[in-house]
Amino acid sequence: MTGVQTCALPISCRDAETLQLPPELALFPQRELNRDLYLWLIALAAAHDALDSDADWLAGNQRATLMALERYPGLQPRYRRLVAATLAARIAPAQLPPDEAVQETQLRQALHEPGSVLIWPAAARPLQPVPLWLYPAPARAAVKSPPHSRHSPASSANPAQPDRQRRRADRVDLPERKSSFLAPFRAESLLSWAEFIRVNRPTDDDPNPDAAQAANDMETLSVTRDGDQTASRVRFDLDLPSASADDLPVGPGVPLPEWDYRQRALLPNFCTVQERLARRAPPCELPAALRRDAQRLRRQFEILRPGHGWRRAQPEGEELDLDAWVRHAADCVGSGHSCERGLYRQRARQERDFACLLLADLSLSTDAWVNNKGRVIDVIRDSLFLFAEALAATGDRFGLYGFSSCKRQQVRVQRIKTFGERYTATVRGRINAIKPGYYTRMGAAVRYAAGLLNQQSAARRLLLLLTDGKPNDLDHYEGRYGIEDTRMALMEARRDGLHPFCVTIDQDAGDYLPYLFGNKGFVLIRHPEELPRQLLRLYTQLTLTQ
């Protein structure tokens, strides 16, 4: 791309991850045209995803335009109207210098007949912005932000809300500091202040809480790379336990695929899931603090236990089925004969044909504290205890597993209780032994859990996911990549007849869980300490309504 002007009009940018559209568009006098422009840019971005990312800006936009018009024929009339309105607002070639006139003429031809312009003529000045095309995302922002006062309403807003203010930025070299103990003083610097704040963008382990306010006080942000490696990844590698101290592996690792949304392909055998058993998990009794709640829940859930009932219209049984006899007699009177049918009642046990697998997120984030009352992992442990106590009372088949990950070759699934095991002191010992793990490669864990649940022959099978955050891992498994892979894993589970449902304590879950589970496929627990009680209530609703 040569000489493209990007500051006169609001333009749209895209990169491999995001599409950046202007917050508002008033390019055309007609409101309908501005709305059509938004729709067109979204369709164009979808077409760009299927093209080679290394394509030239001019050729790439033309090819994407052709593909968008071919995919969505209904956009053709709107595109023509947008082209006419755009060209009417541009400076005519006759009013431009010769070199710019040739460039403008070629652009108009490319808009009217996409794909017809292969050579981009050079000009002394950059081309006027083309609002119908997408630009590469700029490497640095150069948009002046409006004045922002320290006491303005924006600065007093909720600090948990994301900061969307645009600021002027300038890339500079890191200043040399020959000695950290020497602080040269200059009188003229009294009214100025500057400080470099380290931002470890891949990990962001220890963000400075005052960085946002400092950014608001600066007219220009100076950005640099210091070339130093962050220590968090090194610390994580050092924390990996040795084979003698690690949990016991159960069988060989299981290779599983992973969905790459960029390639639109399922990468075969991309991840390795290793099921593990806690090495030190002595059998134990239910913690004393939970015994009263467990006793109450067992009494409540025993209502769901299948009991003995009467099967009607049986060929043999303990008692006559009076309703069957009445129907038989009526048929004989009305037609003179009646087909032979069961006339007895038989007492038999009624079974609940239901299976549930609870998959708990045991990532490192569960080591965080909840309202200074305890850690998230403690809340999850109590939930597993009470969940197992209640389901043991119902007689439902259930399995308990946890998961965490450290890159794609170490997706660790913690076996707590299999479907074939009884709930005993051994299982309680495994629940008591759970601890925070590493990261959250959710797609692989969901695929593995779905495979276990698929082995159950129950008529209804529930995959219950308990988590405190979104999918993420060290090797680029974050952001949209992790979200898309998890969504594909959940779609695969639904195609197999499973019913995935998510229970989360992540307060930002509304940003991504509707995309993964649907609007009715998850629930947010706003007070994590209520998780054990809410989890059992949800299970009751799910088993009665599915």
Side-chain angles (χ1 to χ4, degrees), residues 282-293:
C284 69
E285 297 300 324
L286 189 68
L290 300 177
R291 290 175 185 173
R292 178 176 296 180
D293 290 338

Side-chain angles (χ1 to χ4, degrees), residues 23 36 60 91 99 146 155 168 266 305 320 393 417 475 484 499:
D36 289 346
I91 301 176
D99 56 344
S155 62
R168 182 184 297 276
L266 201 62
R305 176 182 287 276
L320 288 175
K417 179 189 175 301
D475 51 351
E484 293 291 347
H499 300 276

